[in-house]
Amino acid sequence: LGWMYETEQDGKKGKVNFTIWSDDFICPHCGSEISFWEAAVDLEAMEIYETFNCPNCSSQITKKDLSKAWSSSYDEILDEVRTQRKKSPVLINFTLNGKRKERILSDYDIEVLHKIDAVDISHLATSKLPIGDKTNGIIRANKVEYLHELYTKRAYVYLSKVMELIKGDSYLTAWVTSIIQTASTMYSFRLNRKNGIMKGTLYIPSLMTECNPYFLLQSKIERFVSSWYEGRGEGLVSLSSATNINIDDNSVDYIFIDPPFGANLMYSELNCIWEGWLKVKTDNEKEAIVNQTQGKTLFSYQSLM
């Protein structure tokens, strides 16, 4: 699957490290489509402008003035036409002959994306995001309702294949699931290249960095290997509700408690990405949170605590 992250320059093949995608918007004055990247981002000045000019009519505008651009396409997994926020690839970072470079996409790069569009993924599985206080936001803002819609097509193909190849091995599953958030469309582009995820919520940024999963997985290998120690695997790990733990009296030498934070973090909702890949689902009946969707008030939270 490496061809999906391949580029070419001067007849030589290189590997794409990441691709930057930008939201497209509609100008309120002339009705034309605007790439947020082209209108507001200045790499030389290292600035993303709050106020900028429409490239078509030169009207001075802000991001808040713009309306979203949408695109519709056939979804093979769901066997239906889906409408999503329109994003365009604007820049690639790639390695060629051991040197990292950046440039706008070439005809070769566009052709690769067209080839990916033609790949049949109807055999791949997905899962629906749960309705919740946090998931409702990403559903409304982006019309993202399923796990695979949180990824570019090639990233979802690649990760699905890796999950198939590891055949449920718990150690390798931990390795792969350690990158599934970074590999998603929620990974934001930042001018200082210290890209990241907005924590505590589900959010797809207007400037998104699509990383090559191969390099993400490669970068984790050394960390996983270095975590080995004598006696690893001899401990006991269990998953159960804190409302009912069978532990004998006077049997615990040390206990560390990390309590839930009321309405600040919606744990099971935020875990839906990992749960989608692992094909498990939290029973949130006794989840100690304040959550309007679940009908849990502050009193419910206090009672569970």
Side-chain angles (χ1 to χ4, degrees):
L1 297 174
W3 65 268
M4 297 191 300
Y5 294 93
E6 204 170 63
T7 187
E8 185 179 86
Q9 186 164 297
D10 301 326
K12 296 178 181 179
K13 296 288 179 65
K15 282 293 180 184
V16 175
N17 301 311
F18 61 82
T19 303
I20 300 171
W21 294 73
S22 169
D23 272 351
D24 291 333
F25 292 94
I26 305 296
C27 174
H29 301 287
C30 66
S32 61
E33 278 194 11
I34 299 173
S35 165
F36 182 63
W37 174 271
E38 293 176 4
V41 178
D42 188 335
L43 289 180
E44 290 187 7
M46 288 286 286
E47 192 167 354
I48 299 176
Y49 298 113
E50 290 187 15
T51 303
F52 47 89
N53 295 324
C54 170
N56 300 290
C57 68
S58 299
S59 298
Q60 195 173 73
I61 47 179
T62 67
K63 187 179 176 183
K64 291 181 180 179
D65 298 326
L66 303 171
S67 55
K68 301 170 184 176
W70 301 89
S71 64
S72 298
S73 60
Y74 175 68
D75 188 309
E76 302 107 307
I77 298 178
L78 301 176
D79 190 24
E80 63 181 65
V81 174
R82 299 284 294 168
T83 299
Q84 305 271 272
R85 288 288 300 273
K86 189 173 182 181
K87 285 185 179 291
S88 301
V90 292
L91 194 79
I92 64 166
N93 179 291
F94 63 101
T95 299
L96 183 68
N97 294 331
K99 295 182 179 179
R100 288 173 76 103
K101 303 180 179 182
E102 284 186 353
R103 59 164 168 77
I104 62 172
L105 279 74
S106 65
D107 291 341
Y108 182 94
D109 301 320
I110 299 299
E111 183 59 32
V112 169
L113 293 177
H114 286 325
K115 283 177 64 179
I116 293 167
D117 284 339
V119 173
D120 180 20
I121 60 170
S122 57
H123 62 289
L124 297 182
T126 190
S127 59
K128 195 162 187 176
L129 303 185
I131 302 299
D133 287 12
K134 289 298 181 184
T135 53
N136 286 348
I138 201 169
I139 291 170
R140 283 195 307 269
N142 299 275
K143 297 187 179 179
V144 167
E145 298 180 75
Y146 293 87
L147 177 69
H148 70 286
E149 293 178 325
L150 285 169
Y151 295 85
T152 63
K153 186 173 182 178
R154 60 182 166 185
Y156 199 72
V157 169
Y158 199 103
L159 291 170
S160 296
K161 187 62 179 178
V162 176
M163 288 294 282
E164 176 191 329
L165 291 170
I166 65 178
K167 297 177 180 177
D169 180 283
S170 59
Y171 189 71
L172 295 178
T173 300
W175 170 56
V176 178
T177 54
S178 72
I179 70 148
I180 58 171
Q181 197 175 32
T182 309
S184 74
T185 56
M186 296 190 296
Y187 199 59
S188 176
F189 167 79
R190 294 166 187 164
L191 286 170
N192 60 9
R193 298 302 196 272
K194 294 181 180 179
N195 306 325
I197 302 289
M198 185 177 288
K199 296 181 179 179
T201 188
L202 297 173
Y203 174 73
I204 298 176
S206 291
L207 298 175
M208 180 270 288
T209 302
E210 179 203 9
C211 300
N212 184 335
Y214 175 87
F215 294 124
L216 292 177
L217 288 167
Q218 186 184 53
S219 70
K220 290 286 185 177
I221 291 175
E222 188 176 338
R223 295 183 188 183
F224 268 74
V225 172
S226 67
S227 70
W228 173 261
Y229 55 88
E230 281 301 321
R232 179 167 186 155
E234 295 175 6
L236 174 64
V237 178
S238 65
L239 177 65
S240 58
S241 172
T243 60
N244 183 24
I245 300 177
N246 294 316
I247 299 176
D248 293 336
D249 289 345
N250 303 314
S251 64
V252 177
D253 296 313
Y254 175 81
I255 182 167
F256 175 84
I257 299 174
D258 187 16
F261 298 108
N264 291 338
L265 288 173
M266 303 301 167
Y267 299 94
S268 62
E269 292 179 28
L270 298 175
N271 277 336
C272 68
I273 307 169
W274 288 271
E275 293 183 355
W277 286 103
L278 296 171
K279 296 179 173 56
V280 297
K281 188 177 180 181
T282 297
D283 178 0
N284 61 19
E285 181 186 352
K286 293 184 178 179
E287 182 180 19
I289 56 174
V290 178
N291 187 288
Q292 186 176 354
T293 305
Q294 292 185 29
K296 289 177 179 173
T297 62
L298 181 61
F299 179 72
S300 307
Y301 169 72
Q302 288 174 324
S303 300
L304 284 163
M305 287 294 283

